[in-house]
Amino acid sequence: MAQQERTIGIGMVGYAFMGAAHSQGWRTVGRVFDLPLRPVLAAVCGRDAAAVRAAADKHGWAAAETDWRDLVVRDDVDVVDICTPGDSHAEIAVAALEAGKHVLCEKPLANTVAEAEAMVAAAERARTRGQVAMVGFNYRRVPAMAYARGLIADGRLGALRHVRVTYLQDWLVDPDFPLTWRLERKHAGSGALGDLGAHIVDLAQYLAGEPLVGVSALTETFVRERPLLAGAPAGLSASGGAERGAVTVDDAAVFTGRLASGALVSFEATRMAAGRKNALRLEINGERGSLAFDLERLNELSFYDGSDPAQSAGFRRILVTEPDHPYLEAWWPPGHALGYEHTFAHQARDLVHAIASGTDPAPSFADGLRVQRVLAAVEESAEKNAVYTPVPL
């Protein structure tokens, strides 16, 4: 008699841009990777009944809810995936953990350090009951980034000296782009800093394998008033009316920092870089070599090996599509490129394995709190005209 397949029910709160990306990951992961538990898309939640039902039908969710409190107590939901604006992360995550669910929460973990600390405390209590909680920094799941982490951990770069990371977008260049929730502190917590800066802070700490211990920062809001939103936004597209409202978050953040080892780090995050759609770029220099990465060429990693003879030394292009590269064992033959959406399948894969094995997932809520403390230190430094500000560990 065939052994019955074990499943795990997924419930998701939020269904817009990130909800669509997470849906793609959950819908795909069990069809590509061999998993100990098969994800089942049990229910999705949103406040607009018609819109959330349409999203459920489009993305393959069996049921639709209009109150997240009903979703987190459903018997067919084992994992609560939070894809809402940051102001609701803490309340939903804590309630889901207290209801006995595993939790995946989009980045940044929360809008404040206090909220993130409460989420970590709830996750630690839940861990004693066998539950796990993970924060969704999906760029860790780009195969080239996971491979880069392995090279650094293996000592191929030696002691790190410099880390440079930029994340540039341009969707706010137009001063008449309307005032969506991402431009209001009460919903988003911060602007480019939390939206983009959270990603690059996490990547820097993940790749280096050590925390930031202090920062010096400048932030700026270039367009301080925008048209009030007319109708519901669609992803990052929206339309505005005649009335205008105040922008209460930053448009851009530039900051430097120091890692625990003494290595220096520089960051730039902006949504006002004309012509840059989703340009995340980084370079890491060590005593023995360097790595460079460009998200617009996400299947490639540039590696400089300082031990090569001078006559032939130079950056080499590594095409990260081989079966023994991270996550590539289940995808296509070498040279067949992956894309942005695959990072969410990889994220789902790692969470399912952590749940099945009872191990701690990464990045954990504690990792998310570490990023939140860096973001708070950046804001504090910027308020004091770039005064160097320690980051609590």
Side-chain angles (χ1 to χ4, degrees), residues 63-138:
E65 298 279 3
T66 56
D67 189 329
W68 62 262
R69 296 168 186 82
D70 294 330
L71 181 135
V72 301
V73 297
R74 287 179 63 113
D75 291 338
D76 58 351
V77 168
D78 303 297
V79 177
V80 173
D81 185 353
I82 304 168
C83 297
T84 59
D87 59 327
S88 60
H89 285 186
E91 184 180 14
I92 298 172
V94 171
L97 290 166
E98 290 178 349
K101 313 299 184 182
H102 308 287
V103 172
L104 171 62
C105 183
E106 252 303 316
K107 48 58 60 183
L109 185 61
N111 278 1
T112 68
V113 169
E115 289 174 345
E117 288 174 340
M119 294 169 74
V120 169
E124 290 173 347
R125 292 192 299 270
R127 194 72 188 92
T128 65
R129 303 189 295 269
Q131 299 160 241
V132 304
M134 188 170 83
V135 59
F137 285 110
N138 66 297

Side-chain angles (χ1 to χ4, degrees), residues 64-265:
E65 298 279 3
T66 56
D67 189 329
W68 62 262
R69 296 168 186 82
D70 294 330
L71 181 135
V72 301
V73 297
R74 287 179 63 113
D75 291 338
D76 58 351
V77 168
D78 303 297
V79 177
V80 173
D81 185 353
I82 304 168
C83 297
T84 59
D87 59 327
S88 60
H89 285 186
E91 184 180 14
I92 298 172
V94 171
L97 290 166
E98 290 178 349
K101 313 299 184 182
H102 308 287
V103 172
L104 171 62
C105 183
E106 252 303 316
K107 48 58 60 183
L109 185 61
N111 278 1
T112 68
V113 169
E115 289 174 345
E117 288 174 340
M119 294 169 74
V120 169
E124 290 173 347
R125 292 192 299 270
R127 194 72 188 92
T128 65
R129 303 189 295 269
Q131 299 160 241
V132 304
M134 188 170 83
V135 59
F137 285 110
N138 66 297
Y139 290 132
R140 287 191 181 202
R141 266 74 189 196
V142 174
M145 288 294 85
Y147 181 59
R149 172 61 196 139
L151 290 174
I152 294 169
D154 290 343
R156 297 293 296 276
L157 269 59
L160 301 187
R161 303 304 192 209
H162 301 281
V163 180
R164 302 177 195 86
V165 201
T166 63
Y167 199 168
L168 315 178
Q169 295 180 347
D170 73 352
W171 58 278
L172 289 180
V173 167
D174 181 358
D176 289 325
F177 186 90
L179 193 69
T180 68
W181 68 265
R182 293 179 185 271
L183 301 175
E184 297 184 276
R185 175 172 289 274
K186 65 182 180 181
H187 295 306
S190 63
L193 177 61
D195 188 15
L196 309 182
H199 271 304
I200 57 180
V201 166
D202 179 70
L203 271 182
Q205 295 186 133
Y206 163 65
L207 291 171
E210 54 181 303
L212 282 154
V213 296
V215 295
S216 177
L218 294 171
T219 61
E220 185 57 66
T221 303
F222 299 109
V223 179
R224 297 185 176 273
E225 287 189 346
R226 290 182 177 273
L228 296 181
L229 189 64
L236 296 181
S237 299
S239 58
E243 294 186 59
R244 303 180 78 87
V247 175
T248 52
V249 298
D250 59 277
D251 284 329
V254 178
F255 53 106
T256 56
R258 187 184 298 276
L259 294 173
S261 64
L264 301 179
V265 192

